Amino acid sequence: MAPMGIRLSPLGMAVFCLLGLGVLYHLYSGFLAGRFAFFMLSEPAAGGAEPPPRGSAAAVDLRELLAVSVLAAVRGGEEVKRVREGNVLNEKAKGKTREGAEEKLTSGDLLSNRRMYHLLQAAFPGVQINSEEHVDTADQETVSWDRSIPEEIKQKIQPKEVPAESVTVWIDPLDATQEYTEDLRQYVTTMVCVAVNGKPVIGVIHKPFSAYTAWAMVDGGSNVKARSSYNEKTPRIIVSRSHAGKVEQVARQTFGNKTVIIPAGGAGYKVLALLDVAEKNQEEADVYIHVTYIKKWDICAGNALLRALGGHMTTLNGEEISYTGSDGNEGGLIASINMNHKALIEKLPDLEKTSHK
């Protein structure tokens, strides 16, 4: 017996339940439709993530970052040149390499680093910056950038925004410090590299003592070209001065007895040797080989330049080098342009074994 003396029949109960289900279906279907519409409106376009809104705080314009990277390399180079020409290097040891060689530090390294780091950090405060030298957090030097972009970059590079959290900047404030102390100025460079999700996309290599700057952006443009040809019968292999003996024997076994070994200082200089560089003190080479551990700020800019021009820089066993995580590359490297890079790697099985030493 129902309350108030009302008796419900089975048929009435069934109708009541159906009406209730109808009301719930109407309400819930409207909610689902709204959620589906919201999902469709916010879903990124097929083929990749939706870029952040232009001008947002979380976005970085790679064209602007290229412009300030060029400026940073030049400003750092001014410090490097000033210190060397004033002969006030204040040279000291900062440690030893894995091979036991003494690593040197000069005022040129520190002052260049200070200028480059603060300029990049002020222009793009939300971007991670990795530098070879320590940055004193108490040093609050203010370095401003007027956000002007050189006409050459404007003409060749279109604006392109990426999420700030995907960007890592690598600074080498003075490449070839050993040669710098020996006054072998042609080898010295300052370098900036921009990696997006670990891939090098912007490379800047500046030679302070000749005021020459090479820059490139992957899928963008560059102010330098690759050399158009090489001599297969007498290939020229450029290597570190300190490792020339280690590489020479294996290189001749691999490429032939007519192989020319070019000992040189600085990773930046060695990459420029693979390119068409109008520099009287710049040697030319076909392949760059490094057989031991090397830091990423030494090679990132050169890697980006080669990628932009269709070349390659990989570990000795052919793996791409990621510019995230640790600051060192354990697998050695081989770099080339306008050559069959895979075939080169297949010729170098013995060198890869020495790269972790």
Side-chain angles (χ1 to χ4, degrees), residues 49-164:
E50 184 180 12
R54 184 166 180 79
S56 71
V60 171
D61 184 349
L62 291 180
R63 184 171 74 167
E64 290 186 350
L65 192 44
L66 168 60
V68 76
S69 295
V70 170
L71 182 60
V74 171
R75 292 277 179 85
E78 292 171 353
E79 296 297 313
V80 168
K81 183 179 179 182
R82 182 177 63 82
V83 169
R84 178 66 267 185
E85 292 182 342
N87 200 27
V88 287
L89 274 64
N90 295 320
E91 176 187 336
K92 62 181 180 180
K94 68 173 182 178
K96 291 185 179 295
T97 67
R98 291 190 179 184
E99 295 82 38
E102 189 177 81
E103 283 193 283
K104 295 184 177 180
L105 180 67
T106 70
S107 296
D109 295 88
L110 296 175
L111 293 173
S112 174
N113 183 71
R114 182 173 184 244
R115 179 66 63 88
M116 294 174 70
Y117 176 86
H118 283 295
L119 177 57
L120 287 158
Q121 198 273 335
F124 293 95
V127 167
Q128 179 180 339
I129 301 175
N130 296 334
S131 179
E132 179 173 9
E133 306 305 338
H134 174 71
V135 178
D136 188 352
T137 55
D139 180 4
Q140 297 296 326
E141 179 185 10
T142 301
V143 182
S144 61
W145 176 48
D146 62 7
R147 310 203 81 82
S148 63
I149 300 175
E151 283 301 319
E152 184 180 31
I153 293 178
K154 280 185 179 180
Q155 292 172 8
K156 295 182 178 181
I157 307 293
Q158 295 299 314
K160 182 178 180 180
E161 292 199 342
V162 296

Side-chain angles (χ1 to χ4, degrees), residues 49-332:
E50 184 180 12
R54 184 166 180 79
S56 71
V60 171
D61 184 349
L62 291 180
R63 184 171 74 167
E64 290 186 350
L65 192 44
L66 168 60
V68 76
S69 295
V70 170
L71 182 60
V74 171
R75 292 277 179 85
E78 292 171 353
E79 296 297 313
V80 168
K81 183 179 179 182
R82 182 177 63 82
V83 169
R84 178 66 267 185
E85 292 182 342
N87 200 27
V88 287
L89 274 64
N90 295 320
E91 176 187 336
K92 62 181 180 180
K94 68 173 182 178
K96 291 185 179 295
T97 67
R98 291 190 179 184
E99 295 82 38
E102 189 177 81
E103 283 193 283
K104 295 184 177 180
L105 180 67
T106 70
S107 296
D109 295 88
L110 296 175
L111 293 173
S112 174
N113 183 71
R114 182 173 184 244
R115 179 66 63 88
M116 294 174 70
Y117 176 86
H118 283 295
L119 177 57
L120 287 158
Q121 198 273 335
F124 293 95
V127 167
Q128 179 180 339
I129 301 175
N130 296 334
S131 179
E132 179 173 9
E133 306 305 338
H134 174 71
V135 178
D136 188 352
T137 55
D139 180 4
Q140 297 296 326
E141 179 185 10
T142 301
V143 182
S144 61
W145 176 48
D146 62 7
R147 310 203 81 82
S148 63
I149 300 175
E151 283 301 319
E152 184 180 31
I153 293 178
K154 280 185 179 180
Q155 292 172 8
K156 295 182 178 181
I157 307 293
Q158 295 299 314
K160 182 178 180 180
E161 292 199 342
V162 296
E165 64 268 19
S166 70
V167 175
T168 306
V169 177
W170 295 85
I171 299 174
D172 193 340
L174 199 169
D175 190 39
T177 299
Q178 176 64 43
E179 288 73 19
Y180 183 64
T181 64
E182 297 172 17
D183 209 14
L184 299 174
R185 304 183 183 196
Q186 70 271 25
Y187 297 128
V188 175
T189 62
T190 58
M191 297 189 287
V192 180
C193 176
V194 176
V196 178
N197 295 321
K199 295 182 178 181
V201 298
I202 289 174
V204 180
I205 301 178
H206 175 68
K207 301 183 77 172
F209 297 103
S210 63
Y212 174 80
T213 306
W215 59 261
M217 178 171 153
V218 176
D219 296 329
S222 70
N223 71 338
V224 65
K225 297 179 181 179
R227 289 194 297 108
S228 58
S229 62
Y230 66 97
N231 192 331
E232 293 186 26
K233 295 182 179 179
T234 57
R236 291 163 294 183
I237 313 299
I238 194 163
V239 300
S240 295
R241 294 168 69 216
S242 58
H243 302 152
K246 183 180 291 187
V247 178
E248 182 171 0
Q249 183 178 358
V250 178
R252 293 191 190 283
Q253 291 174 351
T254 303
F255 298 102
N257 289 330
K258 293 184 177 180
T259 300
V260 177
I261 303 298
I262 305 172
Y269 178 90
K270 297 184 191 85
V271 168
L272 291 179
L274 306 181
L275 307 178
D276 186 6
V277 175
E279 283 277 278
K280 64 180 181 179
N281 290 327
Q282 178 67 58
E283 294 167 283
E284 294 183 351
D286 303 307
V287 181
Y288 166 27
I289 296 175
H290 188 86
V291 296
T292 61
Y293 174 86
I294 192 168
K295 292 296 183 69
K296 291 178 181 177
W297 42 66
D298 290 317
I299 60 176
C300 186
N303 198 342
L305 277 164
L306 289 171
R307 285 188 69 223
L309 297 171
H312 302 274
M313 179 185 286
T314 65
T315 64
L316 292 172
N317 61 11
E319 296 176 351
E320 295 295 332
I321 301 168
S322 174
Y323 295 91
T324 57
S326 70
D327 60 15
N329 172 51
E330 297 279 358

